[in-house]
Amino acid sequence: MTITTTDATDPTAPARPRTRPRRTTTAGPQGLRTVGLYVLAVLIGLGVWQLIAMKYGPSLVASPKETLSADRELAADGTLGNSVIASSRRILIGWGLGVVVGAPVGLLIGQIRIVRQLLEPYIEFFRFIPPVAFVTLAVVWLGIGETSKVVLIFYTAVFIVTLNTSAGVMAVNENKLRAAASLGASRRQILQRVVLPSTVPYILTGARLAMGNSFLTIVSAEIVAAQVGLGSLIWTSRNYGRIDWVFVGIITLGILGLVYDRILRVIAMRVLHKYGAKV
């Protein structure tokens, strides 16, 4: 009786299933390290804040404890909650309209030369005029209601998104466009399959920058013409000499902006990751 053995080098031998080596993940320790650094940074910031408050006194700088007490006071009577809701509504509507209008206009400017030549002088002119310069005119033309604030924030956002989008379109590799055209792709197909995927990261960058500038604009708009809102809260607190309330309004603006930016990044990573969205 003969026993045949199959050598590993025999080309006729069936392939053996390969076992993949286990990967050791460092996501857990790395995540804990990141959280730890964030906590350390916050504690250092609070310590510096406390030292500055001790040096200059409560009439100039409210301490973290005084600010927390004022925050509870404003939250208890509903002032802080109403201000956050009012400012958030104005920012989200104005910023959203700016993104919805700015992205298509930027695509047109980047792709069609005649549109770029027609709109570029106006964009280059108005983008250098800060929204605060139009606050008085916005109130005179549109009243002290919500429309004037939303229009000012829209004005802030639309140019930023338009410029970033058009820059993304013009940065598309020319070889990709020629290759798509040589394969018989129409202008619409080139826009959908080549230009838009390459431009998405630019649009997201413009949207994030526009969000930050919207927070700058809302304070100016609400100081001039608003009864409720974080800008109005800061201005009213200043008139009453409540530095602790001013600190509450400023810190709330920062936290709100941080939260909205984080939400935007998470949504972009989950919805637009196939376009290379890394924000």
Side-chain angles (χ1 to χ4, degrees):
M1 179 178 179
T2 344
I3 300 176
T4 58
T5 59
T6 306
D7 190 74
T9 58
D10 187 359
T12 61
R16 295 180 181 178
R18 296 181 180 179
T19 56
R20 294 182 180 178
R22 294 182 179 178
R23 296 181 181 178
T24 56
T25 176
T26 57
Q30 184 67 27
L32 291 175
R33 182 174 180 273
T34 302
V35 173
L37 289 175
Y38 284 168
V39 172
L40 178 62
V42 171
L43 292 177
I44 292 174
L46 289 174
V48 172
W49 179 7
Q50 179 63 38
L51 291 175
I52 295 174
M54 291 170 61
K55 179 178 181 180
Y56 292 101
S59 60
L60 294 178
V61 180
S63 67
K65 183 179 179 180
E66 293 168 344
T67 304
L68 180 60
S69 176
D71 179 82
R72 291 173 178 171
E73 178 184 352
L74 292 172
D77 63 7
T79 301
L80 184 60
N82 293 334
S83 299
V84 169
I85 292 172
S87 296
S88 298
R89 182 177 61 248
R90 294 160 184 161
I91 290 172
L92 292 178
I93 294 175
W95 170 81
L97 291 174
V99 173
V100 168
V101 174
V105 172
L107 290 171
L108 290 174
I109 290 175
Q111 276 211 305
I112 305 174
R113 181 183 297 272
I114 188 171
V115 175
R116 179 163 64 251
Q117 292 173 341
L118 287 173
L119 295 182
E120 195 171 38
Y122 294 99
I123 293 175
E124 293 299 323
F125 174 78
F126 282 106
R127 76 185 184 93
F128 288 107
I129 303 177
V132 66
F134 287 108
V135 170
T136 302
L137 290 178
V139 173
V140 172
W141 292 344
L142 304 172
I144 61 174
E146 297 296 299
T147 306
S148 57
K149 289 87 166 174
V150 170
V151 167
L152 286 171
I153 296 173
F154 168 79
Y155 174 84
T156 302
V158 67
F159 294 115
I160 299 175
V161 177
T162 299
L163 286 172
N164 277 270
T165 304
S166 61
V169 174
M170 290 184 284
V172 177
N173 194 330
E174 190 69 25
N175 292 330
K176 292 183 178 180
L177 300 176
R178 291 175 180 173
S182 65
L183 292 173
S186 63
R187 181 182 290 271
R188 181 177 180 181
Q189 289 174 328
I190 292 175
L191 175 63
Q192 293 177 342
R193 305 289 178 84
V194 180
V195 175
L196 189 57
S198 301
T199 310
V200 164
Y202 290 85
I203 297 175
L204 289 176
T205 301
R208 292 183 65 192
L209 292 173
M211 176 70 76
N213 282 270
S214 298
F215 275 82
L216 300 178
T217 303
I218 192 62
V219 175
S220 304
E222 290 179 343
I223 283 177
V224 174
Q227 299 298 322
V228 62
L230 291 172
S232 176
L233 172 63
I234 292 171
W235 186 252
T236 304
S237 304
R238 174 257 185 194
N239 292 336
Y240 283 101
R242 293 295 303 265
I243 300 297
D244 50 351
W245 287 2
V246 174
F247 270 71
V248 171
I250 293 172
I251 293 172
T252 303
L253 278 171
I255 294 175
L256 204 61
L258 180 65
V259 170
Y260 285 166
D261 183 72
R262 179 66 63 176
I263 292 174
L264 178 61
R265 292 172 62 184
V266 170
I267 293 174
M269 288 293 292
R270 293 188 177 183
V271 177
L272 302 173
H273 65 276
K274 62 181 179 181
Y275 296 119
K278 296 179 181 180
V279 289

